[in-house]
Amino acid sequence: MIKESTGAQLIQAAFQSEKPIFIPFITAGFPTPAASIDIALTLEEAGAGLLELGVPYSDPLADGPTIQTSSHKAIAQGVTLPKVLEMAKEMRGRGLKIPVILFTYYNPVLQYGTEKLISQLEDYGIDGILIPDLPFEEAEEVNKLTEQNGRSFISLVAPTSQQRIQMIASHAQGFLYCVSSLGVTGARSTLDDSVVGFLDEVKKHSRVPVAVGFGISRAEQVQLMAPHCEGYIVGSALINILLKNEDVLKDELTREQGLAEINKFVKELQSGLS
Amino acid sequence: MGTEMSNKSKGRFGEFGGRYVPETLVNATDELEKAYEEAIQDPQFLKELAEFLKEYSGRPTPLYYAEKLTEELGGAQIYLKREDLNHTGAHKINNAIAQGLLAKRMGKKFIIAETGAGQHGVAAATIAARLGLSCKVFMGEEDIRRQKLNVFRMELLGAEVVPVSSGTKTLKDATSEAIRYWVSTVDTTYYMVGSAIGPHPYPKMVRDFQRIIGDETREQILAQTGRLPDYVVACVGGGSNAIGMFYPFVEDENVKLIGAEAAGCGVDTDQHAATIAKGTRGVIHGTMTLLLQDQYGQIIEPYSISAGLDYPGIGPEHAYLYASGRAEYRSITDEEALGAFRLLSKVEGIIPALESSHAVAEVMKFAPTLDKDKIVIICLSGRGDKDVTQIYERDKGGQSND
């Protein structure tokens, strides 16, 4: 009997590309759950290699104003972790092929039940999980559960990680998320050049692909980092486009217009990669 | 081997505590832990701290036999630990002085702090002024509106008050925003947490910097009465005065420890801050504890008349003392706290902070039922001058409604 690929294998396969892959982050349920499904499909169509699906949280400590805003708007509409899982399932039902990573703070996971959630990820078509406030020392249980269930637990390393890089990199599953600079998420117009050295240092120790995120908003930044990573994550800059097009995206009749804007933004972002 | 999973979770109180922070902050909390452990072994640091507490803040604070309150209630003998007599008017300065000295020792020149009503913000700004450190205080816009005078006090002391407009614009959001700012500036900035909350090592460190309350109290009651008290009572928001008061008594099994938390309009309404009575296990601001949340893990905004108790979580060591049965936590409504505020002012000539009034109110309930030879100690964590305007306006509002 041929076993279907696990989520962890699908994530690995997503990185089998010559160019670094584009990894968009969206807040699930913003501006509406129905729009999120269409947005995910549009992103895949525009070239995304992997999708980070964010569970909106009341107190997102690692996020800047943009993602805080989209999260609060989603929560106000009643979006919860169970509803985000349903959205992922619907995305699969509508034909989404790329791997999906659930991005969630730890508290919603605890209330849902850590073991229950991770054992159910496959049923909802989710391949990995990223918990920004669960550092290495607190992640032993989750690490074990994802491994048992063929999912990936995505770890982060930051410019302040220093001697921790090796420890985290050598245990990494799926891919390693490099935080480009100090601070919370949010589009930055410039990134410090030191990020390149940091990425190279991480790559030296990592047994999995290395992706970079936090602050990426422009094609030049993507171009600068491309030789030093296997993927780049874009969150706030994309959410800014969603915020700008919030009204047209909400309404099914005008949604195409907003989706076209998203497509345009993604194409522009990738334009620097030959 | 350096790469083994040897780096286990640290700073646990039973199943509570730990360190749930973004990776960017992990090394900073490690460094802080190391600096703190070294400092409290260093006689020079301890000497400087002791001098500051004595000469600058006025410690030791008295343990005062409240004869009139005792007579009024007609039961147990009641003593007040007068933390309200500290410089800046509350116990908050104990922790602020110690962390200020630690920041200086670590070579940090920038201090950030969160504040609700402004008491910790004022304490942080005070010590920053004295030590020549730059200080930013994060404060919710709603609290800024309610506590204009404290904002002005902080500004007089040379601090910058940063308005926080996210979420409900109160202490919870000010804390989140301070943590976010810390993530951005972690290489130069010292985060002075004001309560026994947050990621390890804060709950342990703040407890150790506040335990002077309990250490002095234990010595004073033994000197004054020749025995240990039967009850020790303190109000609990994040719980720094309570843990400082309780900790030195934890091993004294016959001393009952009682925390008074804020029931606001009542624990059966949705307007309260009764974390122990109504909270469930979860993670808030980097620590595993009990907190007010919905079934999906979204944090619920608390309510109390007292801004210092208006926090949706509680220090993890309190969650542990509760779960292990060593301490008991009871809920006090706004009305009960106001009754205690008025009574203590009238019979003892001491105007307590609204926070501390919750502890007084709890004692008003059970002291009359006790024999006259029983001893009850209340931690009077702060003075009520800061609350007088609020209560004046409330009274005026009440009259015009009649």
Side-chain angles (χ1 to χ4, degrees), chain B residues 36-311:
Chain B
Y36 153 71
E37 298 286 356
E38 279 170 16
I40 57 163
Q41 302 293 326
D42 178 357
Q44 197 54 42
F45 177 82
L46 295 175
K47 183 166 167 270
E48 196 182 3
L49 175 57
E51 276 169 14
F52 261 94
L53 291 172
K54 179 165 179 272
E55 310 292 343
Y56 190 64
S57 189
R59 299 204 74 90
T61 58
L63 181 68
Y64 164 75
Y65 174 53
E67 193 183 346
K68 292 294 179 184
L69 182 65
T70 300
E71 265 173 32
E72 179 77 22
L73 297 179
Q77 302 163 37
I78 299 164
Y79 287 77
L80 305 177
K81 177 60 174 167
R82 298 290 308 275
E83 289 302 300
D84 59 318
L85 294 178
N86 271 301
H87 180 40
T88 72
H91 72 289
K92 292 286 184 191
I93 195 76
N94 301 332
N95 170 54
I97 289 173
Q99 286 201 54
L101 291 173
L102 183 60
K104 206 179 122 199
R105 184 184 159 94
M106 292 174 76
K108 307 267 183 180
K109 294 193 169 53
F110 302 95
I111 285 184
I112 55 168
E114 81 293 339
T115 201
Q119 291 311 104
H120 173 57
V122 167
T126 297
I127 193 64
R130 172 61 183 79
L131 298 177
L133 305 167
S134 138
C135 180
K136 264 190 215 300
V137 179
F138 291 82
M139 189 169 183
E141 277 180 352
E142 180 58 23
D143 288 334
I144 287 180
R145 194 185 59 75
R146 289 191 289 200
Q147 300 285 341
K148 280 200 191 84
L149 277 178
N150 264 344
V151 173
F152 184 59
R153 278 170 89 190
M154 289 183 264
E155 286 168 354
L156 273 179
L157 293 160
E160 180 195 348
V161 178
V162 183
V164 173
S165 60
S166 57
T168 43
K169 308 174 174 56
T170 57
L171 177 59
K172 167 176 86 84
D173 308 289
T175 308
S176 296
E177 210 48 46
I179 295 176
R180 290 188 187 109
Y181 183 85
W182 193 33
V183 176
S184 313
T185 57
V186 62
D187 38 2
T188 54
T189 302
Y190 183 96
Y191 181 20
M192 185 181 279
V193 174
S195 193
I197 58 162
H200 177 67
Y202 285 106
K204 178 172 182 279
M205 180 169 78
V206 174
R207 174 199 74 201
D208 288 350
F209 289 155
Q210 291 291 2
R211 66 170 291 172
I212 192 163
I213 303 172
D215 284 332
E216 283 178 8
T217 301
R218 201 171 181 283
E219 214 171 284
Q220 287 165 325
I221 196 72
L222 285 172
Q224 290 175 32
T225 69
R227 70 177 190 89
L228 290 172
D230 299 286
Y231 294 84
V232 171
V233 184
C235 65
V236 187
S240 69
N241 89 85
I243 204 69
M245 180 57 130
F246 290 175
Y247 190 64
F249 291 102
V250 165
E251 302 294 319
D252 301 317
E253 281 169 24
N254 293 324
V255 179
K256 292 190 182 63
L257 308 175
I258 299 175
E261 58 178 6
C265 303
V267 290
D268 295 322
T269 70
D270 58 3
Q271 297 282 302
H272 64 77
T275 316
I276 296 268
K278 291 291 180 172
T280 49
R281 188 170 160 268
V283 166
I284 180 170
H285 295 140
T287 193
M288 177 85 71
T289 186
L290 295 168
L291 62 127
L292 301 176
Q293 56 183 327
D294 70 13
Q295 66 182 114
Y296 302 108
Q298 308 288 2
I299 295 170
I300 295 173
E301 197 58 34
Y303 163 78
S304 166
I305 189 172
S306 136
L309 303 184
D310 201 354
Y311 184 69

Side-chain angles (χ1 to χ4, degrees), chain A residues 56-61 63 68 80 107 111 132-133 135-138 140 156 158 160-161 163-164 171 183, chain B residues 3 5 7-9 12 19-24 26-27 166 172 180 183-184 281-283 293 296-299:
Chain A
Y57 183 51
S58 56
D59 297 81
L61 287 184
D63 285 306
Q68 285 176 45
T80 60
N107 202 45
Q111 304 321 311
D133 55 348
F136 186 78
E137 288 79 356
E138 307 288 356
E140 200 179 344
L156 292 98
T160 50
S161 296
Q163 80 287 358
R164 297 168 53 78
H171 288 88
Chain B
T3 57
M5 299 274 268
N7 235 339
K8 297 285 183 199
S9 174
R12 288 277 160 183
R19 194 165 58 179
Y20 299 88
V21 292
E23 171 60 26
T24 306
V26 175
N27 261 332
S166 57
K172 167 176 86 84
R180 290 188 187 109
V183 176
S184 313
R281 188 170 160 268
V283 166
Q293 56 183 327
Y296 302 108
Q298 308 288 2
I299 295 170

